[in-house]
Amino acid sequence: MLSRVRVSRCNVFVVASMLSVLGFLVFAGVPASAAVTHTYLSQLTGFGEPTAVAVDAAGDVYVVDSSAGTVDRFSSAGAPLAFSASESYVEGSKLTGTPGGSFGEPRGVAVNDENGDLYVADRTAGVVDVFSSTGVYLSQLTGPPATAPVPGPFQCPWGLAVDQSTHDLYVTNTCEGAVVDVFSSTGVYVSQFGAGVVNGFSRGVAVNDLTGDAYIETTSEGGGSSSEVDVFGSMGSFLTPAWNGAGTPEGPFGFDTLHVGLDPTTHHVYVIDARSGVVDEFAASASEEYLGQLTGTPAGPFSGPQAVAVNPANGDLYVADGGEGSGVVDVFGPAIEVPGTSVQAATGLTTTTAVVSGSVNPAGIQVTACEFEYGTSTSYGQSAPCEPAPAQIGAGNSPKAVTANL
C-alpha cells in the first residue's frame, strides 16, 4: 500500500511508500520553511528554438527564437504585441534584424527598465544591437575598447543582463578569452571581470540588483566532468565556493550546459541543469541554498530548457523549453512557499488497516486542509483526514504531529 500526506495551499505532495515499514520523504534534507514551488499557468507556442527570455517592467515578454532569427514580443497575457516602429526589420510583434540586415544568430536578450531599451546579442555577427521600446534601431555595441584587459571586438556575445539599480548592461563574451563585459546605459565601457574563470560554456548571466552579485555558469573543459555556477561580487571579485548543485535531488551538476536566471522581486536564482532537464531554484544569496525544483508541466517533463526569466510586475516565471523546431515557453505563477511535511513508517498493519503518522510544518502559512491519500498504486484513490484538524495545526513555524487511521 502507498500513502502520502496532502496539505493545502500548495501543489506539492510528500509521498511515503508503505510496503511493510519503508518510508520515503521527497523533500528530505530541505528546510521546511524554505521549500518553494510554482503553479503551471499557460504556454507560449510557435517557436523553433527559444534560447532567451526577458520581461520588462510593464510585463511585456521578449523571446529570442534563434532558429527563426527573430525576437518575439508578447503581452503579459500571452498575446503577440506589435512594435509600433514601421521599419523594414519590424514585422508586427517580431524584430528580424537591423537596418543593415537580418540577425545572424540572436542568442541573448535584455531590457533596461530605465528607458525601455532592448538589447539583442547576435553571436555570429559579434555585436549587441540596441533598440528602443518601440522597435527603432538605436545603436550597436561591438566590444570593449583596446585598453580593456581582454580587448574587443566581441568573439561570441551570448548572455545579457541589466542591473536595474545601475542600469549597466552585462555581456558574456564567450569563445576564446571568455570574459563578462559591463557597459553603461549609454553604451560606455565600464569594466570587465571573469577572465580565467568563465569559459566558452559561460553563456548566461544574471545580476542581483540589490547586492550587485553576478551569477555565471561554467563547465569544465578539457575532458572535465562537472558544471558550476560562479558568483562574482559587485566589484568583479570571484566569490568562493562556486555552486555545484550538491543540494539538489540529482546531486552535483554533471558535465553539461547550465543556464541561469534571476527573480527581480524575490532575487531567487534559477539554474537550468540541461543534463537533467530541470530548473533548480536557490535563495537570494551568494551562498548556495537550494529551495525547490521544476521538472516540467502537467503535459510532461521539460524536453530541453534553455532560459528562464521572471515578470517583475506579477512574479510569473517563464521557462524557454525545447530544441530546434519544437520550442515553447512555459509560464508558471509566482513562487509559493511550501509547508514542510514528512511521513513516517506505518504502524498497526493488518490485512485491512494501518495507522499512518507524519508531521506538518506550516512555515507561517495557515493550513486549511490536511489529509493522507493512500492506495495500492501511485494513483492512490482513497483518503483519510489528518488528526488533529487543520484549525488545530494552525499557521506556526514548528512541526505538528498528524496521524490517520486507514
Side-chain angles (χ1 to χ4, degrees):
M1 179 169 61
L2 299 173
S3 75
R4 64 184 176 187
V5 60
R6 179 177 180 176
V7 182
S8 70
R9 49 171 242 233
C10 66
N11 296 323
V12 175
F13 306 144
V14 173
V15 183
S17 172
M18 282 178 29
L19 303 175
S20 298
V21 292
L22 177 64
F24 172 66
L25 176 61
V26 169
F27 282 113
V30 179
S33 61
V36 297
T37 187
H38 297 262
T39 302
Y40 175 75
L41 299 178
S42 60
Q43 191 174 76
L44 305 177
T45 61
F47 308 106
E49 186 183 10
T51 56
V53 182
V55 189
D56 65 22
D60 295 344
V61 184
Y62 303 85
V63 181
V64 171
D65 187 344
S66 290
S67 64
T70 62
V71 178
D72 295 57
R73 184 184 183 195
F74 299 86
S75 70
S76 59
L81 188 61
F83 292 95
S84 59
S86 58
E87 276 76 359
S88 60
Y89 54 83
V90 178
E91 297 180 359
S93 60
K94 299 177 184 289
L95 291 179
T96 61
T98 72
S102 300
F103 291 128
E105 185 185 358
R107 283 290 176 178
V109 65
V111 181
N112 186 334
D113 287 343
E114 179 183 37
N115 53 22
D117 285 356
L118 177 68
Y119 303 96
V120 180
D122 191 334
R123 179 177 179 269
T124 57
V127 299
V128 175
D129 294 309
V130 187
F131 300 84
S132 74
S133 59
T134 63
V136 174
Y137 176 75
L138 299 178
S139 61
Q140 191 175 77
L141 301 175
T142 58
T147 55
V150 179
F154 289 133
Q155 297 297 312
C156 303
W158 197 298
L160 302 176
V162 174
D163 181 339
Q164 301 297 352
S165 65
T166 64
H167 305 290
D168 289 344
L169 173 70
Y170 289 63
V171 183
T172 59
N173 187 15
T174 62
C175 297
E176 186 176 353
V179 293
V180 179
D181 293 306
V182 184
F183 299 85
S184 73
S185 60
T186 58
V188 176
Y189 170 77
V190 174
S191 63
Q192 185 181 87
F193 64 91
V197 179
V198 301
N199 57 29
F201 292 92
S202 304
R203 296 174 176 176
V205 57
V207 182
N208 185 329
D209 61 16
L210 287 181
T211 63
D213 291 344
Y215 304 83
I216 298 121
E217 70 270 9
T218 60
T219 299
S220 298
E221 296 181 295
S225 59
S226 64
S227 299
E228 62 188 24
V229 174
D230 296 323
V231 185
F232 294 83
S234 59
M235 301 302 292
S237 58
F238 178 36
L239 306 180
T240 57
W243 297 11
N244 65 3
T248 68
E250 291 76 21
F253 301 130
F255 182 78
D256 211 330
T257 302
L258 304 178
H259 306 276
V260 294
L262 192 135
D263 186 332
T265 57
T266 65
H267 296 92
H268 290 178
V269 180
Y270 297 90
V271 180
I272 294 176
D273 183 349
R275 176 196 59 167
S276 302
V278 299
V279 181
D280 293 312
E281 186 168 352
F282 298 87
S285 171
S287 60
E288 183 175 356
E289 182 185 342
Y290 173 75
L291 299 180
Q293 185 181 83
L294 289 174
T295 60
T297 72
F302 294 127
S303 61
Q306 297 193 62
V308 58
V310 175
N311 187 334
N314 60 17
D316 284 352
L317 173 68
Y318 296 81
V319 179
D321 182 35
E324 187 171 351
S326 59
V328 299
V329 175
D330 295 309
V331 188
F332 300 83
I336 301 172
E337 191 167 334
V338 179
T341 58
S342 67
V343 178
Q344 301 163 8
T347 61
L349 290 169
T350 72
T351 56
T352 59
T353 64
V355 177
V356 288
S357 303
S359 66
V360 175
N361 185 339
I365 299 174
Q366 176 62 53
V367 174
T368 58
C370 178
E371 62 185 16
F372 286 84
E373 294 185 326
Y374 65 99
T376 57
S377 72
T378 54
S379 297
Y380 302 98
Q382 301 184 73
S383 64
C386 296
E387 298 178 5
Q392 295 173 281
I393 298 174
N397 287 284
S398 59
K400 297 282 188 178
V402 291
T403 63
N405 295 308
L406 309 184

